[in-house]
């Protein structure tokens, strides 16, 4: 779906309850009461839309990219939290049960015990829920445990808010608004059912197996998989998949990895995996033939469908993975556009596929620049980190406006590179980046 459709569609969903309330033409209440109801309804719409913005729907993440999807998910979650926290304090109409003769809800907020309880539950749980998500990296539990808690927390909050809105909401008794909420709740449940039930069922019909695993650099592995039956996944160079190795297709044990091989190299699909934690450190023990399930392809760090007079690939560490896929596909297709690869590592031993990259540099109009921050005595390449100075030195202003710049690596490097590129006149629309961070 085109990004220019997604944003208006999202705004329409969050504003629709306000419009549907206004159209009811109920007698007005004090200004801040109306603001409070409006904030609460907008927050409810945002919360339900968050299920769709979880990054697992390819229609969305394939269009605007995983990074933008997840940053948006976080930003609007904080906005919804602020609205919810303010909501009970803005009313001047007294709290209390609905009075039989007060059909337009002007004299009291009409809260019975159940609707008050569901409102309080959501109001108490939501801040903790958002805080735990914001501070995820500092928590002692495993990533999969956090994911399960996040999922369950989201469902509990959504159920409580749905009950509170339908039972206590002055405007939500209206059939049009109630119908709108029903549609939104169904969409949220549908997207959950898709990612946790339907997508795993589809995965289960296309099993893969590990067909190659070898260490290719310090703390880095090349993992190869191939379909056991049927054709291999169709993907665009630079995209990523969720890999589930050796668990049930319904398991939460799945990690995102960029495909480092080119679509032209199918049916085998390869990855570069860096050891960082539980799963990646145990990868070396995976036996050939182990079952693998794929969810994807996801992401939009790709050249396909974009015009570019030249291609700049900027990788920090294992961020090379998707960019390798792109370079390999360019070679396979005989793409003759100029290509510059800037590839940073801490030490030279971390460079993956050194020989292949040296051969790539022999291609016409191609440059491969290695940067190492802790060089050995015999290192002859660039020294330092990928920073503004090196970006300016390697790329310069020529071609800035019509090349495409694809950046992948640690978040801090991406920020520096994006700033440096815009500094030399690259329009932000010509920079595509992906952080290896999903939250
Ligand atoms: C779009 C994308 C593409 C990626 N591509 C690559 C790649 O090509 N090569 C590579 O080496 N790494 C890649 N990563 C990073 C990789 O997913 C994590 O390093 C890996 O999941 C860590 O798992 P762990 O159990 O070994 O580490 P842990 O110590 O458990 O986790 C380290 C960090 O990795 C992330 N992480 C852990 N488990 C998951 C999970 N199940 N789902 C999502 N994130 C998780 C969390 O941020 C966590 O804090 C990519 C990440 C993203 C978001």
């Amino acid at each position: 779906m085109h990004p220019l459709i997604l944003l208006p569609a999202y705004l329409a969903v969050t504003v629709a309850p306000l419009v549907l309330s206004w159209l009811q033409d109920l007698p007005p209440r004090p200004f801040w009461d109306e603001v409070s109801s409006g904030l609460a309804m907008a927050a409810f719409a945002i919360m339900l839309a968050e299920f769709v913005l979880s990054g697992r729907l390819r229609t969305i993440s394939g269009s605007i990219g995983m990074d933008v999807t997840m940053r948006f998910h976080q930003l609007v979650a904080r906005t919804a939290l602020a609205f919810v926290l303010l909501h009970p304090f803005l009313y001047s109409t007294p709290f209390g049960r609905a009075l039989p003769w007060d059909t337009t809800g002007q004299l009291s907020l009409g809260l019975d015990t159940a609707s008050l309880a569901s409102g309080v539950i959501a109001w108490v749980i939501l801040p903790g829920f958002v805080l735990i998500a914001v501070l995820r990296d500092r928590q002692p539990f495993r990533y999969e445990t956090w994911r399960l808690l996040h999922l369950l927390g989201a469902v509990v909050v959504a159920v409580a808010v749905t009950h509170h809105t339908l039972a206590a909401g002055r405007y939500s008794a209206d059939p049009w608004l109630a119908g709108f909420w029903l549609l939104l709740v169904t969409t949220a449940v549908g997207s959950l059912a898709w990612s946790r039930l339907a997508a795993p069922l589809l995965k289960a019909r296309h099993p893969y197996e590990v067909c190659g695993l070898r260490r290719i650099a310090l703390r880095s592995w090349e993992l190869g998989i191939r379909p056991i039956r049927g054709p291999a996944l169709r993907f665009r160079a630079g995209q990523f998949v969720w890999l589930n190795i050796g668990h049930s297709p319904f398991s939460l044990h799945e990690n995102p990895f960029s495909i480092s091989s080119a679509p032209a190299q199918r049916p085998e699909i390869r990855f570069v995996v860096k050891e960082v934690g539980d799963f990646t450190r145990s990868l070396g023990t995976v036996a050939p033939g182990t079952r693998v399930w794929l969810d994807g392809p996801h992401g939009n760090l790709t050249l396909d469908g974009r015009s570019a007079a030249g291609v700049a690939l900027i990788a920090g560490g294992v961020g090379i993975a998707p960019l390798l896929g792109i370079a390999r596909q360019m070679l396979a297709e005989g793409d003759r556009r100029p290509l510059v690869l800037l590839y940073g590592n801490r030490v030279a031993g971390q460079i993956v596929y050194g020989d292949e990259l040296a051969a790539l540099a022999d291609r016409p109009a191609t440059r491969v620049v290695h940067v190492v921050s802790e060089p050995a005595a015999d290192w002859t390449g660039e020294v330092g980190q990928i920073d503004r100075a090196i970006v300016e030195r390697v790329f310069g202003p020529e071609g800035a406006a019509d090349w495409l710049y694809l950046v992948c690596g640690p978040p801090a490097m991406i920020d520096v590179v994006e700033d440096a590129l815009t500094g030399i006149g690259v329009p932000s629309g010509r920079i595509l980046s992906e952080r290896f961070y999903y939250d």
Side-chain angles (χ1 to χ4, degrees), residues 374-397:
E374 294 174 20
D378 59 349
W379 175 253
T380 52
E382 293 272 356
V383 175
Q385 296 193 325
I386 297 190
D387 57 12
R388 176 180 285 268
I390 191 144
V391 168
E392 288 173 357
R393 211 160 50 242
V394 172
F395 296 104

Side-chain angles (χ1 to χ4, degrees), residues 6-80:
L6 280 176
L7 190 60
Y10 183 83
L11 288 175
V13 165
T14 43
V15 170
L18 310 184
V19 174
L20 290 172
S21 303
W22 177 70
L23 288 176
Q24 291 173 36
D25 211 16
L26 292 180
R29 294 177 304 175
F31 174 74
W32 288 109
D33 284 31
E34 301 296 4
V35 171
S36 179
S37 292
L39 291 181
M41 286 189 284
F44 184 35
I46 290 173
M47 281 185 236
L48 292 175
E50 287 291 75
F51 285 87
V52 179
L53 287 173
S54 67
R56 298 308 289 261
L57 290 188
R58 276 188 272 157
T59 324
I60 296 174
S61 61
S63 159
I64 55 174
M66 182 62 84
D67 271 1
V68 176
T69 310
M70 297 319 294
R71 297 295 85 78
F72 191 74
H73 178 93
Q74 294 161 354
L75 178 75
V76 295
R78 289 164 167 88
T79 310

